[in-house]
C-alpha cells in the first residue's frame, strides 16, 4: 500500500490565495505587545501598533518603486514666556517663589524657575508646566492661592489644588503677583529652499 505524499502547503480556502509577488503580510501593521516589568506603570493590556514599510514586486517592465523607511519625527518642543525670559519645555518646569524639586523624580530632571512675589501670593512651588508628547500640561502643585488658566477665546478657569489642565499655544497661566506664564507654540521648521539654477 502506498502512502499519498503530504503537501507542505497549508490549505487555503478558495479565492484567498495571494497574488504572485505579494507577501501575505504586505500592508499590515506590525503589532508589538508590551510586557510590563515588575513595578512598571505599563498596563497589562497595552498594545502598540507600528506601521511597516510595504514592498511590492513591480509589474513586468515597470521600474521598481523605492522603499522609503519610516521617517523619525523630530520632537517639536513648546516654550513658555515668563516675564522677559523664555524657557523651552525640554524638561518640566517647576515655577514658584522658592521652587524645589519633587522628592520622587521620574523622567528628566525638572528645571526650577523662581519668580518674585512681594505679597506672597505665589507659593514656594506653585505650578508645574511640562510637555507630554505634543501636549503642554499645567499642574497646580497644591498652591495656597490657586492657578488661573486662560485659554485663547475661553473664560479663565481656576485649577483646584493638584489639578492639571491641557494648555494650548497662547494660553496664559496666572500664578499671582503679576506673574503670567504664556505658552508659546513650537518653532516652525526652517523652510528648505531649492537652489535656483
Amino acid at each position: 500500500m502506498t502512502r499519498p505524499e503530504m503537501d507542505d502547503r497549508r490549505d487555503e480556502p478558495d479565492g484567498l490565495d495571494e497574488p504572485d509577488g505579494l507577501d501575505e503580510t504586505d500592508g499590515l501593521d506590525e503589532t508589538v505587545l508590551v510586557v510590563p516589568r515588575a513595578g512598571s506603570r505599563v498596563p497589562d493590556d497595552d498594545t502598540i501598533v507600528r506601521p511597516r514599510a510595504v514592498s511590492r514586486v513591480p509589474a513586468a517592465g515597470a521600474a521598481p518603486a523605492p522603499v522609503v523607511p519610516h521617517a523619525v519625527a523630530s520632537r517639536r518642543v513648546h516654550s513658555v514666556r515668563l516675564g522677559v525670559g523664555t524657557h523651552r519645555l525640554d524638561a518640566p518646569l517647576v515655577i514658584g517663589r522658592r521652587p524645589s524639586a519633587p522628592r520622587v523624580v521620574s523622567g528628566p530632571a525638572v528645571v526650577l524657575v523662581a519668580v518674585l512675589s512681594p505679597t506672597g501670593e505665589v507659593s514656594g512651588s506653585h505650578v508645574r508646566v511640562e510637555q507630554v508628547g505634543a501636549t503642554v500640561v499645567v499642574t497646580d502643585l497644591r498652591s495656597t492661592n490657586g492657578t488661573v488658566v486662560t485659554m485663547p477665546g475661553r473664560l479663565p478657569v481656576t485649577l483646584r489644588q493638584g489639578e492639571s489642565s491641557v494648555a494650548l499655544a497662547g494660553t496664559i497661566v496666572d500664578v499671582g503677583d503679576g506673574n503670567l506664564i504664556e505658552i508659546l507654540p513650537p518653532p516652525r521648521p526652517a523652510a528648505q529652499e531649492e537652489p535656483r539654477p
Side-chain angles (χ1 to χ4, degrees), residues 103-193:
R103 291 182 204 140
V104 178
V105 177
S106 61
V110 298
V111 175
L112 306 176
V113 181
V115 296
L116 296 175
S117 181
T119 64
E121 285 184 14
V122 181
S123 295
S125 291
H126 194 102
V127 72
R128 178 182 175 115
V129 182
E130 64 185 315
Q131 182 166 333
V132 180
T135 306
V136 176
V137 178
V138 176
T139 304
D140 181 272
L141 298 176
R142 304 200 176 281
S143 65
T144 304
N145 294 312
T147 303
V148 179
V149 178
T150 307
M151 287 212 230
R154 297 195 184 165
L155 294 173
V157 175
T158 302
L159 299 180
R160 292 177 288 190
Q161 289 187 343
E163 185 178 19
S164 295
S165 175
V166 170
L168 305 173
T171 297
I172 303 294
V173 180
D174 185 354
V175 294
D177 267 341
N179 293 295
L180 301 177
I181 304 163
E182 181 184 2
I183 309 299
L184 302 175
R188 293 179 182 238
Q192 296 179 352
E193 293 185 18

Side-chain angles (χ1 to χ4, degrees), residues 29-112:
D29 292 337
E30 179 180 355
T31 302
V32 179
L33 296 178
V34 178
V35 179
R37 296 183 193 151
S40 172
R41 292 186 191 187
V42 177
D44 291 338
D45 61 347
D46 196 19
T47 302
I48 300 170
V49 178
R50 290 187 298 206
R52 288 189 343 164
V54 177
S55 61
R56 299 190 182 271
V57 176
V67 175
V68 179
H70 296 291
V72 177
S74 61
R75 181 172 179 225
R76 297 183 64 204
V77 179
H78 287 262
S79 298
V80 297
R81 181 179 300 134
L82 179 58
V84 294
T86 302
H87 303 274
R88 284 177 46 93
L89 291 177
D90 293 311
L93 301 178
V94 173
I95 301 167
R97 194 174 68 244
R98 285 186 315 271
S100 61
R103 291 182 204 140
V104 178
V105 177
S106 61
V110 298
V111 175
L112 306 176

